[in-house]
Amino acid sequence: MADDSEFFRKKPQQSRSRSVVNALFEAADQLLERTGDPRQVSLQGIAQRAGVGIGSLYDYFANREGLLGAFLSRVTEKNFEALEREVMGTRSMKFDEALPLIVDAVLRTYLEKPARTRAVIHAIATVGWVKPVISERDRFALLLAQRLHLEYPHVDFAALTLTSEVLCDAVIGVVLGELWRDGDAERSTRVRAELVELTRLRLARLVAKP
């Protein structure tokens, strides 16, 4: 997990202080989902929704960018943990069979609440959180590569890692496209199927024994 200490004025240590910060994160999450734009989310609004005094908020965060940065770190980690569970839950399956489930899990994570995801992307740009997000992408790609290597130990691990990274980037591209495109369920289904098929073709060539 990326270090989020730079965003805090004071890190919560006790149970009560962690509860306050968690309430602030939950309130920020709800407001971002409702507005779809971090510029419309104020510290006062977050504090009011969380039922926390603005003074208590300032105990932990110096400004809006600090709170949003810490919130993004939490969201990024939770997303990774959820997707890790999805990948680990397919260990008894062949990767070819598991691939559609993994792709669906990633798409669901980011497209189930599109307004929230759009707001999170805006917030990432606002607080300069791009590199840590890429690090989490690399972390997830490594998880996929390790999953693949268990099934295909004869394949060069670096090649599996690169393929996993490209798959992650392809999914990110699909997510970004769908987030800002008028809803078209039929097209989304075709895009998802195309992504799965292209990945299968690449893996088939990669893992074929000489």
Side-chain angles (χ1 to χ4, degrees), residues 78-154:
K78 282 191 172 183
N79 285 345
F80 176 84
E81 290 173 352
L83 293 175
E84 181 180 36
R85 287 193 296 272
E86 293 282 352
V87 173
M88 292 298 99
T90 67
R91 284 179 296 182
S92 62
M93 305 168 62
K94 294 288 187 181
F95 190 85
D96 182 73
E97 299 171 348
L99 178 61
L101 301 179
I102 295 171
V103 169
D104 286 345
V106 176
L107 295 178
R108 185 171 61 249
T109 296
Y110 297 105
L111 294 178
E112 194 168 51
K113 298 180 178 180
R116 175 187 187 255
T117 302
R118 285 193 293 266
V120 166
I121 290 171
H122 283 309
I124 287 170
T126 298
V127 303
W129 191 244
V130 176
K131 283 189 176 181
V133 169
I134 296 301
S135 294
E136 289 300 296
R137 166 270 203 186
D138 291 345
R139 186 179 169 199
F140 184 62
L142 180 61
L143 179 69
L144 290 179
Q146 291 169 337
R147 166 74 167 74
L148 280 165
H149 200 242
L150 288 174
E151 191 168 333
Y152 305 106
H154 65 283

Side-chain angles (χ1 to χ4, degrees), residues 4 7 25 64-74 123 127 129:
D4 63 356
F7 296 115
F25 287 158
R64 192 170 64 101
E65 286 68 28
L67 191 152
L68 287 175
F71 166 74
L72 291 173
S73 178
R74 177 74 61 89
V127 303
W129 191 244

